[in-house]
Amino acid sequence: MVLWSKEQDKLPDIDMSSGDIEGTKEGGPLTPALLNSNCSVPPVILSKGPEEEILGSGNNLELTEVPNGDAADDVERSEIVVATDCRANAKGQREEDALLENASQSNESDETSTDQSPEPPAPLKETSFTIGLQVVFPFLLAGFGTVAAGMVLDLVQHWTVFKEVNEVFILVPALLGLKGNLEMTLASRLSTAANIGQMDNAKNMWKMIMGNLALIQVQATVVGFLASIAAVIFGWIPEGHFRLDHAVLLCASSVATAFIASLILGLIMIGVIIAARKVGINPDNVATPIAASLGDLITLSLLAGISTGLYKELDNNYANPLVCAVFVALCPLWVLIARRIPSTRELLYSGWEPVIIAMAISSVGGLILDKTVTHPNFAGIAVFTPVINGVGGNLVAVQASRISTYLHMNGLPMGDPNPTPRKCPTPCATFFGSSVNSRSARVLFLLVAPGHLAFLYTINSLRGGHTMLTAVFVSFYMVAALLQVLILLYLADWMVHWMWGRGMDPDNFSIPYLTALGDLLGTGFLALCFHMRWFIGDKDSSLGN
């Protein structure tokens, strides 16, 4: 018989990367390759005898006819084992290749599914017209709100408590500045969260709302207390006398006003941001102006009403201290709520610096207002102070919130080293660049002149204040307002990027500083306008009562 005769016909030719097995009929050669793991055919060593002859060298073997029957049977069994082994190993190799291919496809599918994971929302494409259209109506609403606040201040400056306790005037810019320290910061923080999708989930949204409301209540109570201390100090330094009952009155009035105003405005801000997001309006454009539109009026009305009521209880030695104690005793509750929310836990410890420094800056503006409004020739400054301060603070808060949102959506992570650090911007780069932030700066600056003219006309029509709007006064006023907003927008461009590069969230740190600087610049420039007008002889102060 011939070795590998019939069984060879049953075996298909196997071509594998690691070797071949080839067989032929009738004396054809068998050329096995050494396939170690997949299809290993070790050379068959038969004992030499006269019946067979093995000729081969290396891996090539030539097997010849074996006449002996027993030996042929042994060889046949070896053939069957080898053939079965080759078939099994070839089948195993094919299965292994199929598994590897499936695993590769699975990995590619996983990578594809990973690549297709939800991406952060793309930045809103806004033209100058779109920005202006979204900003102008909240801006006008906020402006008329500041006009109403100015009319209220012009009225209440003649009330007994403002005449007997002059330090209440020092509280005015500090408490009105709370809308920049707390409410506008809250609006900017939540607007950014809404724009980047953090408020799309209802559970996360309500956690964020509860934490932020608790946070601003703590901050309002502490800042109100510190503002009263600053008012007492600034009132004591020039005059040199101190009254404890007046100090307690200032403390109770300031803390109660700050707490109630912050709660009301915080709820309004949350509603505005949620509604704006649902109707497709950028919350950055509407939230902060609406906060300002009601903030000044609500805060000033609360301050006048609460201080007047507590002044009537001045003889009662327990009323004012009790009011202070109640609001201070609520602080641990707000701290406990704010600590449970991760987004506000950090701000509970790190968010005090800008708020306290901003309060101190605003208190300096309050000192300027106190010394100017008590001058008999400059009583008209009261009605214009909330307007010029409010407009400047509103516009710079919008710009700072927009730049912060832009950096959150497109910029490098906060605090990461930038290989090309951003230099201090030039005014030309801030206002005449091609970026969307420069575009919004131009739009906001162009709103200043027509807005203030509309507000001045409204005040004049309502016969508010003690100053007639002459051409000289309007010219000085417009120069002061334009210069104030120009400086603030430039500082916003620099400050927000500077804070971002140092790992500070601009939503929490920039707006308090900018609105406080707006109060200081606005009050200072306005006082300068009245002094210059008086100096050149434009002394018509016959309007108003």
Side-chain angles (χ1 to χ4, degrees), residues 1 46-54 63-72 75:
M1 63 175 290
L46 301 176
S47 56
K48 273 190 175 183
E51 305 88 4
E52 65 178 345
E53 182 179 0
I54 299 178
L63 303 180
T64 58
E65 184 176 355
V66 181
N68 185 278
D70 295 338
V75 171

PDB file of all heavy atoms in Angstrom, residues 1 46-54 63-72 75:
ATOM      1  N   MET A   1       0.839  -1.209   0.000  1.00  0.00           N
ATOM      2  CA  MET A   1       0.000   0.000   0.000  1.00  0.00           C
ATOM      3  C   MET A   1       0.863   1.243   0.000  1.00  0.00           C
ATOM      4  O   MET A   1       2.043   1.191   0.257  1.00  0.00           O
ATOM      5  CB  MET A   1      -0.887  -0.004   1.237  1.00  0.00           C
ATOM      6  CG  MET A   1      -0.144   0.048   2.564  1.00  0.00           C
ATOM      7  SD  MET A   1      -1.232   0.182   3.958  1.00  0.00           S
ATOM      8  CE  MET A   1      -1.789   1.839   3.689  1.00  0.00           C
ATOM      9  N   LEU A  46       9.893   6.106  12.416  1.00  0.00           N
ATOM     10  CA  LEU A  46       9.654   4.662  12.443  1.00  0.00           C
ATOM     11  C   LEU A  46      10.976   3.945  12.554  1.00  0.00           C
ATOM     12  O   LEU A  46      11.986   4.400  12.045  1.00  0.00           O
ATOM     13  CB  LEU A  46       8.944   4.220  11.172  1.00  0.00           C
ATOM     14  CG  LEU A  46       7.569   4.886  10.910  1.00  0.00           C
ATOM     15  CD1 LEU A  46       7.033   4.421   9.567  1.00  0.00           C
ATOM     16  CD2 LEU A  46       6.607   4.571  12.023  1.00  0.00           C
ATOM     17  N   SER A  47      10.905   2.844  13.254  1.00  0.00           N
ATOM     18  CA  SER A  47      12.152   2.078  13.386  1.00  0.00           C
ATOM     19  C   SER A  47      12.566   1.544  12.015  1.00  0.00           C
ATOM     20  O   SER A  47      11.738   1.066  11.245  1.00  0.00           O
ATOM     21  CB  SER A  47      11.943   0.927  14.371  1.00  0.00           C
ATOM     22  OG  SER A  47      10.867   0.129  13.944  1.00  0.00           O
ATOM     23  N   LYS A  48      13.859   1.651  11.719  1.00  0.00           N
ATOM     24  CA  LYS A  48      14.380   1.226  10.417  1.00  0.00           C
ATOM     25  C   LYS A  48      14.347  -0.277  10.310  1.00  0.00           C
ATOM     26  O   LYS A  48      14.694  -0.977  11.214  1.00  0.00           O
ATOM     27  CB  LYS A  48      15.810   1.729  10.265  1.00  0.00           C
ATOM     28  CG  LYS A  48      15.891   3.134   9.687  1.00  0.00           C
ATOM     29  CD  LYS A  48      17.326   3.457   9.333  1.00  0.00           C
ATOM     30  CE  LYS A  48      17.427   4.770   8.646  1.00  0.00           C
ATOM     31  NZ  LYS A  48      18.796   5.065   8.226  1.00  0.00           N
ATOM     32  N   GLY A  49      13.920  -0.709   9.188  1.00  0.00           N
ATOM     33  CA  GLY A  49      13.901  -2.121   8.894  1.00  0.00           C
ATOM     34  C   GLY A  49      13.993  -2.339   7.414  1.00  0.00           C
ATOM     35  O   GLY A  49      14.036  -1.396   6.636  1.00  0.00           O
ATOM     36  N   PRO A  50      13.986  -3.557   7.007  1.00  0.00           N
ATOM     37  CA  PRO A  50      14.096  -3.826   5.590  1.00  0.00           C
ATOM     38  C   PRO A  50      12.851  -3.444   4.827  1.00  0.00           C
ATOM     39  O   PRO A  50      12.858  -3.331   3.625  1.00  0.00           O
ATOM     40  CB  PRO A  50      14.311  -5.353   5.551  1.00  0.00           C
ATOM     41  CG  PRO A  50      13.700  -5.852   6.807  1.00  0.00           C
ATOM     42  CD  PRO A  50      13.924  -4.803   7.808  1.00  0.00           C
ATOM     43  N   GLU A  51      11.725  -3.265   5.559  1.00  0.00           N
ATOM     44  CA  GLU A  51      10.487  -2.993   4.837  1.00  0.00           C
ATOM     45  C   GLU A  51      10.388  -1.546   4.360  1.00  0.00           C
ATOM     46  O   GLU A  51       9.638  -1.242   3.469  1.00  0.00           O
ATOM     47  CB  GLU A  51       9.279  -3.290   5.730  1.00  0.00           C
ATOM     48  CG  GLU A  51       9.262  -4.699   6.295  1.00  0.00           C
ATOM     49  CD  GLU A  51      10.013  -4.785   7.586  1.00  0.00           C
ATOM     50  OE1 GLU A  51      10.474  -3.702   8.052  1.00  0.00           O
ATOM     51  OE2 GLU A  51      10.158  -5.876   8.139  1.00  0.00           O
ATOM     52  N   GLU A  52      11.034  -0.566   5.019  1.00  0.00           N
ATOM     53  CA  GLU A  52      10.826   0.853   4.712  1.00  0.00           C
ATOM     54  C   GLU A  52      12.131   1.585   4.663  1.00  0.00           C
ATOM     55  O   GLU A  52      13.139   1.131   5.176  1.00  0.00           O
ATOM     56  CB  GLU A  52       9.922   1.457   5.791  1.00  0.00           C
ATOM     57  CG  GLU A  52      10.572   1.473   7.164  1.00  0.00           C
ATOM     58  CD  GLU A  52       9.700   2.100   8.180  1.00  0.00           C
ATOM     59  OE1 GLU A  52       8.723   2.783   7.790  1.00  0.00           O
ATOM     60  OE2 GLU A  52       9.964   1.954   9.362  1.00  0.00           O
ATOM     61  N   GLU A  53      12.049   2.713   4.112  1.00  0.00           N
ATOM     62  CA  GLU A  53      13.229   3.556   4.020  1.00  0.00           C
ATOM     63  C   GLU A  53      12.787   4.992   4.124  1.00  0.00           C
ATOM     64  O   GLU A  53      11.845   5.403   3.439  1.00  0.00           O
ATOM     65  CB  GLU A  53      13.938   3.330   2.679  1.00  0.00           C
ATOM     66  CG  GLU A  53      15.212   4.156   2.560  1.00  0.00           C
ATOM     67  CD  GLU A  53      15.917   3.913   1.224  1.00  0.00           C
ATOM     68  OE1 GLU A  53      15.407   3.114   0.436  1.00  0.00           O
ATOM     69  OE2 GLU A  53      16.932   4.555   1.002  1.00  0.00           O
ATOM     70  N   ILE A  54      13.430   5.672   4.977  1.00  0.00           N
ATOM     71  CA  ILE A  54      13.074   7.081   5.175  1.00  0.00           C
ATOM     72  C   ILE A  54      14.188   7.918   4.599  1.00  0.00           C
ATOM     73  O   ILE A  54      15.333   7.824   5.031  1.00  0.00           O
ATOM     74  CB  ILE A  54      12.899   7.405   6.662  1.00  0.00           C
ATOM     75  CG1 ILE A  54      11.763   6.541   7.236  1.00  0.00           C
ATOM     76  CG2 ILE A  54      12.583   8.862   6.848  1.00  0.00           C
ATOM     77  CD1 ILE A  54      11.535   6.732   8.684  1.00  0.00           C
ATOM     78  N   LEU A  63       8.334   9.550   1.904  1.00  0.00           N
ATOM     79  CA  LEU A  63       7.926   8.266   2.444  1.00  0.00           C
ATOM     80  C   LEU A  63       7.639   7.315   1.283  1.00  0.00           C
ATOM     81  O   LEU A  63       6.906   7.667   0.335  1.00  0.00           O
ATOM     82  CB  LEU A  63       6.683   8.417   3.319  1.00  0.00           C
ATOM     83  CG  LEU A  63       6.843   9.400   4.490  1.00  0.00           C
ATOM     84  CD1 LEU A  63       5.549   9.446   5.264  1.00  0.00           C
ATOM     85  CD2 LEU A  63       8.011   9.012   5.352  1.00  0.00           C
ATOM     86  N   THR A  64       8.184   6.105   1.368  1.00  0.00           N
ATOM     87  CA  THR A  64       8.021   5.112   0.280  1.00  0.00           C
ATOM     88  C   THR A  64       7.109   3.998   0.741  1.00  0.00           C
ATOM     89  O   THR A  64       6.668   3.950   1.897  1.00  0.00           O
ATOM     90  CB  THR A  64       9.395   4.548  -0.129  1.00  0.00           C
ATOM     91  OG1 THR A  64       9.986   3.959   1.021  1.00  0.00           O
ATOM     92  CG2 THR A  64      10.290   5.658  -0.653  1.00  0.00           C
ATOM     93  N   GLU A  65       6.836   3.089  -0.165  1.00  0.00           N
ATOM     94  CA  GLU A  65       5.873   2.019   0.088  1.00  0.00           C
ATOM     95  C   GLU A  65       6.368   1.083   1.183  1.00  0.00           C
ATOM     96  O   GLU A  65       7.520   0.727   1.254  1.00  0.00           O
ATOM     97  CB  GLU A  65       5.691   1.218  -1.191  1.00  0.00           C
ATOM     98  CG  GLU A  65       4.620   0.136  -1.066  1.00  0.00           C
ATOM     99  CD  GLU A  65       4.410  -0.551  -2.386  1.00  0.00           C
ATOM    100  OE1 GLU A  65       5.031  -0.114  -3.374  1.00  0.00           O
ATOM    101  OE2 GLU A  65       3.628  -1.492  -2.413  1.00  0.00           O
ATOM    102  N   VAL A  66       5.471   0.643   1.975  1.00  0.00           N
ATOM    103  CA  VAL A  66       5.793  -0.278   3.082  1.00  0.00           C
ATOM    104  C   VAL A  66       4.972  -1.527   2.890  1.00  0.00           C
ATOM    105  O   VAL A  66       3.729  -1.496   3.019  1.00  0.00           O
ATOM    106  CB  VAL A  66       5.477   0.351   4.446  1.00  0.00           C
ATOM    107  CG1 VAL A  66       5.827  -0.606   5.562  1.00  0.00           C
ATOM    108  CG2 VAL A  66       6.219   1.658   4.594  1.00  0.00           C
ATOM    109  N   PRO A  67       5.587  -2.617   2.577  1.00  0.00           N
ATOM    110  CA  PRO A  67       4.815  -3.816   2.279  1.00  0.00           C
ATOM    111  C   PRO A  67       4.286  -4.496   3.504  1.00  0.00           C
ATOM    112  O   PRO A  67       3.295  -5.207   3.438  1.00  0.00           O
ATOM    113  CB  PRO A  67       5.846  -4.691   1.552  1.00  0.00           C
ATOM    114  CG  PRO A  67       7.158  -4.263   2.076  1.00  0.00           C
ATOM    115  CD  PRO A  67       7.031  -2.820   2.372  1.00  0.00           C
ATOM    116  N   ASN A  68       4.894  -4.310   4.645  1.00  0.00           N
ATOM    117  CA  ASN A  68       4.489  -5.060   5.827  1.00  0.00           C
ATOM    118  C   ASN A  68       3.116  -4.600   6.309  1.00  0.00           C
ATOM    119  O   ASN A  68       2.873  -3.403   6.468  1.00  0.00           O
ATOM    120  CB  ASN A  68       5.543  -4.850   6.921  1.00  0.00           C
ATOM    121  CG  ASN A  68       5.237  -5.722   8.140  1.00  0.00           C
ATOM    122  OD1 ASN A  68       4.421  -5.342   8.953  1.00  0.00           O
ATOM    123  ND2 ASN A  68       5.913  -6.851   8.210  1.00  0.00           N
ATOM    124  N   GLY A  69       2.232  -5.531   6.617  1.00  0.00           N
ATOM    125  CA  GLY A  69       0.861  -5.166   7.001  1.00  0.00           C
ATOM    126  C   GLY A  69       0.762  -4.504   8.336  1.00  0.00           C
ATOM    127  O   GLY A  69       0.046  -3.551   8.517  1.00  0.00           O
ATOM    128  N   ASP A  70       1.428  -5.027   9.370  1.00  0.00           N
ATOM    129  CA  ASP A  70       1.349  -4.419  10.710  1.00  0.00           C
ATOM    130  C   ASP A  70       1.890  -3.016  10.715  1.00  0.00           C
ATOM    131  O   ASP A  70       1.312  -2.110  11.313  1.00  0.00           O
ATOM    132  CB  ASP A  70       2.119  -5.277  11.725  1.00  0.00           C
ATOM    133  CG  ASP A  70       1.452  -6.633  11.891  1.00  0.00           C
ATOM    134  OD1 ASP A  70       0.233  -6.714  11.580  1.00  0.00           O
ATOM    135  OD2 ASP A  70       2.147  -7.561  12.341  1.00  0.00           O
ATOM    136  N   ALA A  71       3.022  -2.882  10.067  1.00  0.00           N
ATOM    137  CA  ALA A  71       3.605  -1.538  10.008  1.00  0.00           C
ATOM    138  C   ALA A  71       2.700  -0.597   9.255  1.00  0.00           C
ATOM    139  O   ALA A  71       2.534   0.566   9.613  1.00  0.00           O
ATOM    140  CB  ALA A  71       4.999  -1.605   9.356  1.00  0.00           C
ATOM    141  N   ALA A  72       2.086  -1.139   8.191  1.00  0.00           N
ATOM    142  CA  ALA A  72       1.167  -0.286   7.429  1.00  0.00           C
ATOM    143  C   ALA A  72      -0.011   0.132   8.302  1.00  0.00           C
ATOM    144  O   ALA A  72      -0.494   1.268   8.244  1.00  0.00           O
ATOM    145  CB  ALA A  72       0.678  -1.036   6.188  1.00  0.00           C
ATOM    146  N   VAL A  75       1.143   2.831  10.551  1.00  0.00           N
ATOM    147  CA  VAL A  75       1.288   4.098   9.816  1.00  0.00           C
ATOM    148  C   VAL A  75      -0.076   4.682   9.505  1.00  0.00           C
ATOM    149  O   VAL A  75      -0.313   5.886   9.566  1.00  0.00           O
ATOM    150  CB  VAL A  75       2.110   3.876   8.542  1.00  0.00           C
ATOM    151  CG1 VAL A  75       2.089   5.104   7.666  1.00  0.00           C
ATOM    152  CG2 VAL A  75       3.530   3.506   8.905  1.00  0.00           C
TER     153      VAL A  75
END
